[in-house]
Amino acid sequence: MGKRQLVLEDGTTFTGTGFGSMEQSIGEVVFNTGMTGYQEILSDPSYCGQIVTMTYPLIGNYGINRDDFETITPSIHGLIVKEVCDTPSNFRNEESLDSYLKANNIPGIAGIDTRKLTKIIRKHGTMRAMFTSTDQVLEESVLTIEQTQVMKDQVESVSTIKPYVVPGRGYRIVLVDFGMKHGILRELTKRYCHVTVVPYHYSAENILRLKPDGVMLTNGPGDPKDVPEAIEMITSIIDSVPVFGICLGHQLLALACGADTEKMKFGHRGSNHPVKDLLENKTYITSQNHGYAVRLDSLSNTKLELTQIALNDHTVEGIQHSILPAFSVQYHPESSPGPEDTNHLFDEFLSKIKSHQTNIKEGTSCQSVKI
């Protein structure tokens, strides 16, 4: 391990020890407040194009195991830690964090003041940065960052290329993959669902040809407005089939129903975010990872109802359609990593499907099922 620099787009420089891949990398620097779960974070496709700062000071102490991956090929652009553990100790450990990063060409830097970096992001908002060698001229690094185009194709790069099926005997679910975490699949297969995973640009016509009982819109990276084909698809299917959106899927559902989204100053990323369910008057601790949010004021001119809010900053965390069986949440009910307080939302989705089918048989109009 040699010396390495992290240069922010404003010229702020941190010098530390490099680990993982020694390649140069540019990405948007964000921070995650989770104390554990770094393996799930590294393999979460929603971090495509981003460099993640872990605020917990010691990372890597339980190593890497075969069971906790959220995707096969990670797309994170870098990892920043205060201290990296070289000798992990856990009964499931199979390799070190450094070894995993090397194998997947992911650069890392340790030994920098992650508290200072997090404070900079909280004050000035997320910004882009670059991993460089210590002999790189600062002005050249900043110029390289400025001249590197901001990623707009994150969803395309992490979505499945072709449809595939995960067989089951239960409800037939079409899962639109915008950067799906495996945790979502685990929750659906646990409930015996027959899941057909399709690419992000799959047309409404092709989805409806599959005769789904319900459609799930998954998490994913980037700006939801960079995926206009998905918004068009949702608009075309929402009258025909129950819909459940998670994270990016939540934002896309909102846009399809006429609401608006905006980029947050530094986003929500961690496993301890409190969310209040306004319908049940309950508070849940949730796992979150997003840099965009649905604008609260934009819901007023739509048929969407606010169902959940973030207690830290009162941003939109849940919505439902006032007539149709469609709802979504901004956080991750499949957790991974994080608390499992909101796993019941998958059951709520299946309940909406059952009610929808009952209404069709009885010839009555769809009414939303309150979550």
Side-chain angles (χ1 to χ4, degrees):
M1 296 184 182
K3 290 293 183 181
R4 172 178 284 167
Q5 285 186 336
L6 177 76
V7 179
L8 305 185
E9 63 182 82
D10 66 356
T12 303
T13 302
F14 294 86
T15 302
T17 303
F19 66 103
S21 168
M22 295 306 293
E23 294 183 2
Q24 286 192 342
S25 180
I26 296 176
E28 181 184 49
V29 180
V30 298
F31 64 87
N32 187 294
T33 57
M35 295 176 64
T36 61
Y38 55 81
Q39 180 173 333
E40 294 93 332
I41 291 165
L42 285 168
S43 57
D44 182 349
S46 293
Y47 282 112
C48 177
Q50 295 181 326
I51 299 171
V52 179
T53 305
M54 300 299 297
T55 60
Y56 189 71
L58 176 60
I59 301 298
N61 55 312
Y62 55 86
I64 299 290
N65 68 79
R66 69 174 189 175
D67 299 325
D68 292 342
F69 292 112
E70 288 300 318
T71 191
I72 295 174
T73 305
S75 51
I76 191 173
H77 279 204
L79 183 67
I80 303 169
V81 302
K82 172 63 177 176
E83 180 182 351
V84 61
C85 179
D86 297 325
T87 55
S89 177
N90 184 272
F91 72 97
R92 294 196 300 161
N93 172 53
E94 293 173 326
E95 67 175 317
S96 69
L97 177 58
D98 178 56
S99 172
Y100 175 75
L101 294 187
K102 282 185 170 70
N104 288 277
N105 296 316
I106 301 171
I109 188 171
I112 73 167
D113 189 342
T114 51
R115 290 185 64 187
K116 178 181 178 180
L117 176 57
T118 301
K119 286 183 177 180
I120 290 174
I121 297 172
R122 285 180 59 88
K123 181 177 180 180
H124 300 288
T126 55
M127 62 180 76
R128 293 197 293 162
M130 179 179 182
F131 288 105
T132 71
S133 61
T134 53
D135 57 1
Q136 178 85 16
V137 178
L138 175 61
E139 290 75 14
E140 293 180 357
S141 298
V142 173
L143 183 61
T144 300
I145 297 171
E146 292 175 350
Q147 293 178 343
T148 301
Q149 191 172 12
V150 176
M151 288 188 71
K152 296 287 186 181
D153 62 347
Q154 294 105 312
V155 170
E156 179 181 1
S157 66
V158 297
S159 176
T160 184
I161 298 174
K162 294 181 179 180
Y164 62 92
V165 171
V166 181
R169 296 292 186 182
Y171 287 120
R172 301 180 74 88
I173 307 298
V174 168
L175 193 65
V176 187
D177 179 12
F178 300 111
M180 174 193 67
K181 291 172 64 182
H182 288 172
I184 297 176
L185 264 184
R186 284 193 292 268
E187 292 301 327
L188 291 174
T189 56
K190 184 190 300 182
R191 291 163 174 82
Y192 308 107
C193 293
H194 178 97
V195 184
T196 302
V197 182
V198 300
Y200 76 99
H201 52 57
Y202 217 58
S203 69
E205 179 183 4
N206 286 335
I207 287 176
L208 294 178
R209 279 184 178 276
L210 296 171
K211 307 297 183 184
D213 297 315
V215 174
M216 278 208 65
L217 312 171
T218 77
N219 64 293
D223 187 342
K225 294 177 182 177
D226 288 338
V227 201
E229 56 269 71
I231 300 170
E232 181 181 348
M233 176 273 291
I234 297 167
T235 303
S236 299
I237 69 168
I238 194 171
D239 290 323
S240 305
V241 63
V243 176
F244 178 23
I246 292 175
C247 200
L248 181 64
H250 158 80
Q251 298 158 14
L252 290 169
L253 176 64
L255 291 171
C257 293
D260 196 14
T261 57
E262 61 184 350
K263 186 173 176 60
M264 305 173 77
K265 185 175 182 180
F266 50 81
H268 295 169
R269 296 175 181 87
S271 53
N272 58 350
H273 289 258
V275 168
K276 184 173 183 179
D277 186 321
L278 302 175
L279 302 179
E280 300 292 337
N281 196 29
K282 293 181 179 179
T283 297
Y284 300 105
I285 302 300
T286 67
S287 177
Q288 303 204 8
N289 172 20
H290 60 99
Y292 290 81
V294 175
R295 290 184 54 177
L296 178 59
D297 59 357
S298 72
L299 298 178
S300 59
N301 298 319
T302 72
K303 293 182 179 179
L304 296 173
E305 301 173 347
L306 177 69
T307 59
Q308 301 185 32
I309 60 168
L311 290 180
N312 288 338
D313 59 9
H314 296 95
T315 52
V316 176
E317 290 287 345
I319 55 176
Q320 71 175 7
H321 200 282
S322 61
I323 301 172
L324 303 172
F327 73 109
S328 61
V329 291
Q330 181 62 80
Y331 52 86
H332 290 267
E334 82 286 354
S335 60
S336 303
E340 298 180 350
D341 294 22
T342 55
N343 276 178
H344 67 274
L345 291 180
F346 291 93
D347 299 314
E348 296 288 353
F349 179 44
L350 301 189
S351 294
K352 282 183 178 289
I353 292 174
K354 183 177 181 179
S355 296
H356 176 68
Q357 293 180 347
T358 300
N359 289 337
I360 291 176
K361 290 178 181 178
E362 295 178 351
T364 58
S365 61
C366 295
Q367 297 295 326
S368 64
V369 179
K370 300 296 184 181
I371 63 171

